[in-house]
Coordinates of all heavy atoms in Angstrom, one line a residue:
R86 N 209.1 -4.1 -89.2 CA 210.1 -4.6 -88.2 C 211.3 -5.3 -88.9 O 212.1 -6.0 -88.2 CB 209.4 -5.6 -87.3 CG 208.2 -5.0 -86.5 CD 207.3 -6.0 -85.8 NE 208.1 -6.6 -84.7 CZ 207.6 -7.5 -83.9 NH1 206.4 -8.0 -84.2 NH2 208.3 -8.0 -82.9
G87 N 211.4 -5.2 -90.2 CA 212.6 -5.8 -90.9 C 212.4 -7.2 -91.3 O 213.4 -7.8 -91.7
I88 N 211.2 -7.7 -91.2 CA 211.0 -9.2 -91.5 C 211.2 -9.4 -93.0 O 211.9 -10.4 -93.4 CB 209.7 -9.6 -91.0 CG1 209.7 -9.6 -89.4 CG2 209.3 -11.0 -91.5 CD1 208.3 -9.8 -88.8
A89 N 210.6 -8.6 -93.8 CA 210.8 -8.8 -95.3 C 212.2 -8.6 -95.7 O 212.7 -9.4 -96.5 CB 209.9 -7.7 -96.0
R90 N 212.9 -7.7 -95.1 CA 214.4 -7.5 -95.4 C 215.2 -8.7 -95.0 O 216.0 -9.2 -95.7 CB 214.9 -6.2 -94.7 CG 216.4 -6.0 -95.0 CD 216.9 -4.9 -94.1 NE 216.3 -3.6 -94.4 CZ 216.9 -2.7 -95.1 NH1 218.1 -2.8 -95.5 NH2 216.3 -1.5 -95.3
T91 N 214.8 -9.2 -93.8 CA 215.5 -10.4 -93.3 C 215.3 -11.6 -94.2 O 216.2 -12.4 -94.5 CB 215.1 -10.7 -91.9 OG1 215.5 -9.6 -91.1 CG2 215.8 -11.9 -91.3
L92 N 214.0 -11.8 -94.6 CA 213.6 -12.9 -95.5 C 214.4 -12.8 -96.8 O 214.9 -13.7 -97.4 CB 212.1 -12.9 -95.8 CG 211.2 -13.7 -94.8 CD1 209.8 -13.2 -95.0 CD2 211.4 -15.1 -95.0
M93 N 214.4 -11.6 -97.4 CA 215.1 -11.3 -98.7 C 216.6 -11.6 -98.6 O 217.2 -12.3 -99.4 CB 214.9 -9.9 -99.1 CG 213.5 -9.6 -99.7 SD 213.1 -10.5 -101.2 CE 214.4 -9.8 -102.3
G94 N 217.2 -11.2 -97.5 CA 218.6 -11.5 -97.3 C 218.9 -13.0 -97.2 O 219.8 -13.5 -97.8
A95 N 218.0 -13.7 -96.5 CA 218.1 -15.2 -96.4 C 218.0 -15.8 -97.8 O 218.7 -16.7 -98.1 CB 217.1 -15.7 -95.4
A96 N 217.0 -15.3 -98.6 CA 216.8 -15.9 -99.9 C 218.0 -15.7 -100.8 O 218.4 -16.6 -101.5 CB 215.5 -15.2 -100.5
M97 N 218.6 -14.5 -100.7 CA 219.7 -14.2 -101.6 C 220.9 -15.0 -101.1 O 221.7 -15.5 -102.0 CB 220.0 -12.7 -101.6 CG 218.9 -11.9 -102.2 SD 219.0 -10.1 -102.0 CE 220.2 -9.7 -103.2
E98 N 221.1 -15.2 -99.8 CA 222.2 -16.0 -99.3 C 222.0 -17.4 -99.7 O 223.0 -18.1 -100.2 CB 222.2 -15.8 -97.8 CG 223.4 -16.6 -97.1 CD 223.4 -16.3 -95.6 OE1 223.2 -15.2 -95.2 OE2 223.5 -17.3 -94.9
L99 N 220.8 -18.0 -99.6 CA 220.6 -19.3 -100.0 C 220.8 -19.5 -101.5 O 221.4 -20.5 -101.9 CB 219.1 -19.7 -99.6 CG 218.6 -21.1 -100.1 CD1 219.4 -22.2 -99.3 CD2 217.2 -21.2 -99.8
S100 N 220.4 -18.6 -102.3 CA 220.6 -18.7 -103.7 C 222.0 -18.6 -104.1 O 222.5 -19.4 -104.9 CB 219.8 -17.5 -104.4 OG 218.4 -17.6 -104.2
R101 N 222.8 -17.8 -103.4 CA 224.2 -17.7 -103.7 C 224.9 -19.0 -103.3 O 225.8 -19.5 -104.0 CB 224.9 -16.6 -102.9 CG 224.5 -15.2 -103.5 CD 225.3 -14.1 -102.8 NE 224.9 -12.8 -103.4 CZ 224.1 -11.9 -102.8 NH1 223.7 -12.1 -101.5 NH2 223.8 -10.8 -103.4
A102 N 224.5 -19.6 -102.2 CA 225.0 -20.9 -101.8 C 224.7 -22.0 -102.8 O 225.5 -23.0 -102.9 CB 224.5 -21.3 -100.4
R103 N 223.7 -21.8 -103.6 CA 223.3 -22.8 -104.6 C 223.8 -22.4 -106.0 O 223.4 -23.0 -107.0 CB 221.8 -23.0 -104.6 CG 221.3 -23.6 -103.3 CD 219.8 -24.0 -103.4 NE 219.4 -24.5 -102.1 CZ 218.2 -24.8 -101.8 NH1 217.2 -24.6 -102.6 NH2 217.9 -25.3 -100.6
G104 N 224.7 -21.4 -106.0 CA 225.4 -21.0 -107.2 C 224.7 -19.9 -108.1 O 225.2 -19.7 -109.2
Q105 N 223.7 -19.3 -107.6 CA 223.0 -18.3 -108.4 C 223.3 -16.9 -107.8 O 223.0 -16.6 -106.6 CB 221.5 -18.5 -108.4 CG 220.7 -17.6 -109.3 CD 221.3 -17.5 -110.7 OE1 222.1 -16.7 -111.1 NE2 220.8 -18.5 -111.6

Side-chain angles (χ1 to χ4, degrees):
R86 298 172 69 185
I88 293 170
R90 179 189 296 254
T91 301
L92 273 165
M93 286 293 299
M97 294 170 78
E98 184 178 313
L99 176 66
S100 297
R101 287 185 183 109
R103 294 186 182 174
Q105 186 52 268

